[in-house]
Amino acid sequence: MAEVTRVPLQPIAKGSLLKLWLGVLVAVLVAAGVAWAAMPKGLTVETVTAGEGPNPTESSVVFLDYVGKLEDGTEFDRSPESLQMPPEIAAMIPRGVPMPVGDMVPGFSQGLLQTQKGGTYLIEFPGELGYGDTPPPQSDIPANAGLSFEVTVHEILTEEEFQQLAQRVQTIMMQAQMEAQAGESGAQAPAAPPQ
């Protein structure tokens, strides 16, 4: 049987093993840094003016004023200045537009969860947390656009509180409509002849 050629093992030079492990560590850190830089940035919520009290939950309805902008600063949406409604109803409803937290695009919902009543916040998020590649029809929002919203939170209601408010408003509106119809029918009825 033939003898296998023997290769003598050389001793490892002092410090070589340490250099090997340092090289592996540097390679891992560089790869992680490149991967992190390539990842899209996530949701950020900046407090402009601090609010007070508890944060909303997924089932909350938040009354707020907002301005929505694209990454280049182009405004694409704004809450209306005021809603036209009878004074008795306007006095019942908190200022702002009611928005159910759980029914918004993910970035907006996640941002609202970090707000408080009375505060103003800047919520920014990438396209994948917004409308992704299917923006709303007839909007100026391009596909995969990052969005930012400046929001002022006026009130936070639970779903139950909001439903109770909606029922009270509906009752008042129905009463006002019935009174208006009664007034119209009374004005149209012929006057009784004098006797």
Side-chain angles (χ1 to χ4, degrees), residues 82-191:
S82 62
L83 301 174
Q84 298 298 322
M85 61 186 75
E88 64 273 10
I89 293 175
M92 295 174 55
I93 298 178
R95 179 177 170 197
V97 177
M99 297 201 161
V101 174
D103 291 343
M104 315 274 55
V105 293
F108 197 65
S109 289
Q110 292 169 18
L112 287 177
L113 293 173
Q114 299 178 44
T115 65
Q116 294 174 299
K117 178 181 175 180
T120 299
Y121 304 88
L122 181 61
I123 301 171
E124 298 178 309
F125 49 90
E128 56 267 16
L129 292 177
Y131 295 103
D133 57 2
T134 54
Q138 282 91 41
S139 78
D140 295 333
I141 302 172
N144 299 309
L147 305 175
S148 69
F149 289 88
E150 183 171 327
V151 300
T152 301
V153 178
H154 298 294
E155 187 63 72
I156 302 170
L157 300 179
T158 65
E159 189 174 10
E160 182 180 319
E161 291 170 332
F162 180 73
Q163 291 301 326
Q164 290 172 354
L165 175 62
Q167 287 174 351
R168 287 195 312 263
V169 168
Q170 185 177 15
T171 301
I172 290 172
M173 290 178 71
M174 287 174 55
Q175 288 172 346
Q177 186 177 14
M178 288 178 5
E179 289 171 6
Q181 289 175 349
E184 287 175 11
S185 64
Q188 294 175 358

